[in-house]
Amino acid sequence: MAAMALVPSYSPSLWVRVCHALPRLDLTMVMRDNSFIPDSWEYQQTLLVLSSLSAVALVISLLVVLSFLIHYCCCHRGDRSEGSEEEEEDEDASTGHGYSGRKGRGICCVTWVAVASVTLCCVAIGVGFYGNSEANDGMYQLTSSLLTANYTLASIDLLIADTISGLQVSISGPLSSMEELFAGSKPFLTSTRNCRRLSDNVINLLSSISMARSSGGLANDSASIGAPIAALTPAPPSVAPTISPGGGIMPSPFSPGWAANTLMVNEDYRWLSYVLLLLLDLIVCLFILLGLAKQARWLLILMTILAWLALFLSWGSLGLETASVVALSDFCTDPNTFVLNSTHFNSGTSSDVLDYYLTCSRRMNTPFQQPLTQSQRALSNIHTHLSSLDRNALPQFPKAEKSLREVQQILNSTEGNFHQLVALLNCRGLNKDYIDSLKGLCYDGMEGLLYLSLYSFLSALAFTAILCSLPGAWRSFPSDSEDYEDSDSESEDPFTSHQARRQTTAGSQRGALPPFYNYPGASWTPPFSSAPPLPTPNVSSNGNPGYESLPLTDRQSPPPSYSPSMLTGYGGSSQSHPNSSHSRNLYSR
């Protein structure tokens, strides 16, 4: 059995050996063997335990995200209620963009963590696309090799059936006619009966050569008597029909065509599923960057929901990939042992035949050597008898020429098919297909699954960091009230710059200034008035009379101020007012 496990031109890769060496525990935490036995419940338990590690990692990531959410929801509220002195210091040092001071530095750090997480996710997506392509290439090579092997086996079955059918036609037709014609000549009749006997022997010998495949109605067709036989040319694998049993149930004798069709359908669904998952991750990452750049809260909320979905899908796919990688490494370590011991492959086919085609050792003889040699001798003896009849019987029995020529034509076609059958029964063709299928599955397929596992792990970490950092990044966005105040100031004064409006808004958040009349000795001058203030009884420090405005507390704006020259000019030039001194006294109070 150790010799059977050796496959020429194939050796397990380093990753196969590393994954095969992983310890195996069942649900009761008992060490199990790492032999590939997929039908065993103990082996399935080991795969289930390995897959559950991703579920544990999912729980840990959920706890981490939950702790960050609690930190942002609760702790920062407490920081706001401690006082406004530290906030005023941070805001005084800011430039209106919210990225300076202790609070600004924290927000900037959180934002860059989100950007770095999105970048890591994009790198994981690139790894995932490469791994998906590698896995698809491996499965394509596997299915192509299975289809080629199915074509070879179908050709063997058709050649055997064609040869048997031709010999049966010769026995029931021309040879029977020759026996009737040679009934009066004992030597010629004996030669004809020897040809019939040898043909029966060849039929029995070829019938014993069986690859134990489901060939549909091929056996029934081989027993039918049809037209004259010709050289057989089977269709190529891409054209040759493969008979698949209904209901998707594996046929009792293993059929490579059924396996290739099943794998192709499942691989199409797998490839499409991973492409959709990768596109979902890519869309989430790109729109998160767009939301951070545009400071769109609604977009980040939507992407946060999709990020949660992507997080669950990443950890779930990692669990499936872990089980697939470990099971594939167990198979690729010793594939011949599984094939030889499996009931699906071994039913109807002897272990010697399987061992011959799986190992294809030069020291091993084909298990069909004896029937092929006996069949070759029988066909040679038939050819000798027909040559003797052609030389000796035809001059005496010219009516037997037509039947004799038909038998010779069938014999020539049978010998041509027999030589093709001997070449196809050689182990080199099928063993090459077997090696190619192993290389596609265990090299490219294994590498693709490892890259997909790395993608799932990196994307899960990236989405965990994204979900932890996005709530902190929201704090740097302006609130709805600030946007409303900016829009109001913009509608009132369209000539004021956006930066000035933001600075004004930031100043209003620090607290409203006291009224102008609360400052002692503060003078107020209208922005568009060039007149000096009105005189007042107060005297300034230099001895000159000072002027100040009279505050009107009942109005929102101060009264206009007039200079004495304006009042004098108004009083001297205006004659319409009967009491001009009254107005002068009114403004001099």
Side-chain angles (χ1 to χ4, degrees), residues 36 77 164 170-171 250 276 343 392 499:
F36 183 69
R77 289 183 181 179
I164 292 175
S170 65
I171 291 174
M250 179 180 291
L276 294 178
T343 56
N392 302 323
Q499 182 177 1

Side-chain angles (χ1 to χ4, degrees), residues 73-366:
C73 292
C74 300
C75 297
H76 286 288
R77 289 183 181 179
D79 294 339
R80 292 177 182 176
S81 62
E82 288 180 358
S84 61
E85 294 182 358
E86 296 181 357
E87 294 181 357
E88 290 179 358
E89 293 178 358
D90 294 338
E91 291 172 356
D92 290 340
S94 64
T95 59
H97 298 284
Y99 292 113
S100 61
R102 188 181 66 180
K103 179 180 178 181
R105 287 192 299 270
I107 293 175
C108 182
C109 179
V110 169
T111 304
W112 279 110
V113 167
V115 173
S117 302
V118 172
T119 305
L120 177 63
C121 183
C122 293
V123 172
I125 291 172
V127 174
F129 273 110
Y130 178 76
N132 194 31
S133 177
E134 284 293 313
N136 185 258
D137 291 342
M139 294 302 296
Y140 177 78
Q141 184 175 353
L142 172 62
T143 54
S144 298
S145 301
L146 288 175
L147 287 176
T148 306
N150 185 69
Y151 165 66
T152 302
L153 294 177
S155 299
I156 291 173
D157 289 342
L158 290 176
L159 285 172
I160 292 175
D162 194 9
T163 303
I164 292 175
S165 176
L167 293 176
Q168 288 176 345
V169 168
S170 65
I171 291 174
S172 60
L175 287 178
S176 299
S177 300
M178 291 173 62
E179 287 180 357
E180 295 177 359
L181 294 174
F182 299 148
S185 177
K186 187 175 181 180
F188 300 150
L189 180 62
T190 302
S191 298
T192 304
R193 289 179 178 177
N194 287 334
C195 290
R196 175 190 287 271
R197 178 180 55 81
L198 292 173
S199 298
D200 290 334
N201 291 336
V202 173
I203 291 174
N204 295 330
L205 290 172
L206 293 181
S207 299
S208 63
I209 300 175
S210 175
M211 302 302 293
R213 294 179 64 253
S214 296
S215 55
L218 191 61
N220 296 330
D221 294 340
S222 64
S224 63
I225 300 173
I229 193 168
L232 182 65
T233 304
S238 59
V239 180
T242 53
I243 301 173
S244 301
I249 302 174
M250 179 180 291
S252 179
F254 175 73
S255 174
W258 175 88
N261 291 335
T262 305
L263 290 174
M264 282 190 295
V265 173
N266 294 332
E267 173 59 20
D268 290 339
Y269 284 113
R270 187 207 64 80
W271 180 84
L272 181 60
S273 301
Y274 270 100
V275 168
L276 294 178
L277 179 59
L278 290 166
L279 291 179
L280 173 64
D281 294 349
L282 183 61
I283 290 173
V284 171
C285 292
L286 293 180
F287 277 96
I288 285 177
L289 290 178
L290 181 62
L292 292 175
K294 295 294 185 180
Q295 296 186 354
R297 290 177 177 271
W298 65 270
L299 184 59
L300 287 184
I301 292 174
L302 178 60
M303 290 302 106
T304 301
I305 297 174
L306 294 180
W308 279 106
L309 176 62
L311 178 65
F312 281 93
L313 292 177
S314 298
W315 286 119
S317 63
L318 180 61
L320 294 177
E321 290 153 4
T322 302
S324 301
V325 165
V326 173
L328 185 58
S329 65
D330 295 340
F331 169 77
C332 294
T333 301
D334 190 7
N336 282 11
T337 301
F338 170 72
V339 175
L340 290 171
N341 295 334
S342 176
T343 56
H344 295 297
F345 294 94
N346 204 13
S347 60
T349 304
S350 63
S351 59
D352 295 336
V353 174
L354 289 175
D355 186 24
Y356 171 71
Y357 285 104
L358 295 181
T359 58
C360 194
S361 177
R362 295 180 179 180
R363 295 173 295 180
M364 296 180 61
N365 295 325
T366 173

Side-chain angles (χ1 to χ4, degrees), residues 351-467:
S351 59
D352 295 336
V353 174
L354 289 175
D355 186 24
Y356 171 71
Y357 285 104
L358 295 181
T359 58
C360 194
S361 177
R362 295 180 179 180
R363 295 173 295 180
M364 296 180 61
N365 295 325
T366 173
F368 307 116
Q369 184 67 37
Q370 183 177 357
L372 290 177
T373 302
Q374 294 177 0
S375 298
Q376 181 66 36
R377 291 175 182 175
L379 291 176
S380 297
N381 292 332
I382 293 174
H383 186 73
T384 301
H385 287 294
L386 292 179
S387 298
S388 177
L389 291 174
D390 189 9
R391 291 191 307 268
N392 302 323
L394 287 184
Q396 302 179 17
F397 301 93
K399 294 182 179 180
E401 182 178 3
K402 180 180 180 181
S403 299
L404 182 62
R405 295 291 181 260
E406 290 180 1
V407 174
Q408 289 178 345
Q409 182 181 1
I410 293 174
L411 181 63
N412 292 333
S413 299
T414 300
E415 287 181 346
N417 292 338
F418 184 80
H419 292 305
Q420 295 183 27
L421 179 62
V422 172
L424 290 176
L425 287 175
N426 190 276
C427 65
R428 288 176 293 181
L430 288 175
N431 183 259
K432 181 181 181 300
D433 297 333
Y434 176 63
I435 296 300
D436 291 341
S437 63
L438 285 180
K439 289 181 178 180
L441 182 63
C442 300
Y443 289 170
D444 293 339
M446 186 71 177
E447 183 181 358
L449 284 177
L450 289 174
Y451 276 112
L452 287 176
S453 302
L454 179 60
Y455 147 72
S456 299
F457 181 71
L458 293 179
S459 62
L461 292 182
F463 282 116
T464 302
I466 287 172
L467 292 174

